[in-house]
Amino acid sequence: MAERDDDSYRLLAGLPFAAMTVVALVDVTAGPGVGFLPLLSLGPAFASLVGGMRRTALIGLLALVLCFCLASYDGLLETTRGYTALLSVAGVSAAGLVAAAIRQRREAELANMRSIAEVAQRVLLRPVPRAAGHLRIAVSYTSAVAEARIGGDLYEVVNSPSGVRVIVGDVQGKGLEAVETAAVVLAAFREAAYDEPDLAAVSARLERSVNRHMTQERFVTAVLAETHEDRSVTLLNHGHPSPLVVRADGTAHLAEPPETAPPLGMGLDLKPPEPYGLSLAPGDQMLLYTDGVTEARDPDDRFYPLVRRAFLLRETNPDIGLESLCRDLVTHVGGPLQDDAAMLLLRYREV
């Protein structure tokens, strides 16, 4: 994507010179009867798209000088057509300077907003530990709002006295309200993961916190996991996509809950989800993710086949495997993702 951006920038940067060159060649070849001189104003018009005010002013001056020379060559320098061409180029150059100034100011504001968003992301989604207990951990987060770099998906890993506890969740909705709700859930999880004796108690505490803080209809799907020294894993699913388990031999399946449970924030009087478990051996992996992964569609409106693409995670290094899966997801979509996509990969190893 960075290479495509560089190519686009170079194309736009060369466009003013290409436009003025074509107009000059046509004017010299076809003669003054064609009346192409006012089109030299395309140079400063295109110049305002990229670069600063100084560059736009220099290209505008170049266009004005070129227009003067061509008008003299065509014998139009002291005619109405010659004056009109010069005034057209000068007017568009002035408008280009104004446009460049406005664009630079907006770019500066956007850069400032992106810096603030990056700081907010580091506070909200703190870097997860690379290793915890028997686990090696990798994480990937892609926001659908490309300039914001942050959205309503959440994840956290806590190395608690009861074992490594993990959450991956997705807040219903978008924007700052979704980010605020994600902050509430993460803050509650970070405290509860250390304090509560089991995963069900952590879930109940999250439910109380979400219902207490949310002021409108909003819910959070989430899956909680707790790993133990005997390599068993306890899962608890609040209406979230089921984790993907990839065995060391390459087989993959979804760790689905025994029954569907409501998301967090739907009310304290609803039946809580039932914990269920599985075992992971050395080399086995478990991928927790949000629906931005499985609901990503290709140009033919087909969902991303996560289970069939699980072979991409068979790298020894979980970071490399997750990076390969992320690239494959973007390739499947053929462009920017339409929803936030968070992935947390846990790989079991010998300590």
Side-chain angles (χ1 to χ4, degrees), residues 52-82:
M53 293 181 60
R54 181 179 178 181
R55 180 176 182 273
T56 302
L58 289 175
I59 292 177
L61 180 61
L62 176 61
L64 198 59
V65 171
L66 187 59
C67 183
F68 182 88
C69 294
L70 289 174
S72 177
Y73 175 81
D74 293 335
L76 302 175
L77 195 56
E78 297 182 357
T79 66
T80 301
R81 287 176 58 190

Side-chain angles (χ1 to χ4, degrees), residues 94-152:
L97 282 172
V98 175
I102 295 174
R103 176 180 54 77
Q104 282 188 299
R105 186 172 66 249
R106 290 182 175 175
E107 287 177 350
E109 292 174 353
L110 180 59
N112 187 46
M113 291 177 62
R114 291 182 65 177
S115 297
I116 294 172
E118 288 174 357
V119 173
Q121 185 182 40
R122 287 195 294 269
V123 172
L124 181 62
L125 299 177
R126 301 181 304 197
V128 301
R130 313 300 287 180
H134 289 274
L135 299 174
R136 295 182 64 188
I137 303 169
V139 65
S140 170
Y141 185 96
T142 304
S143 173
V145 185
E147 301 301 340
R149 300 186 181 181
I150 193 169

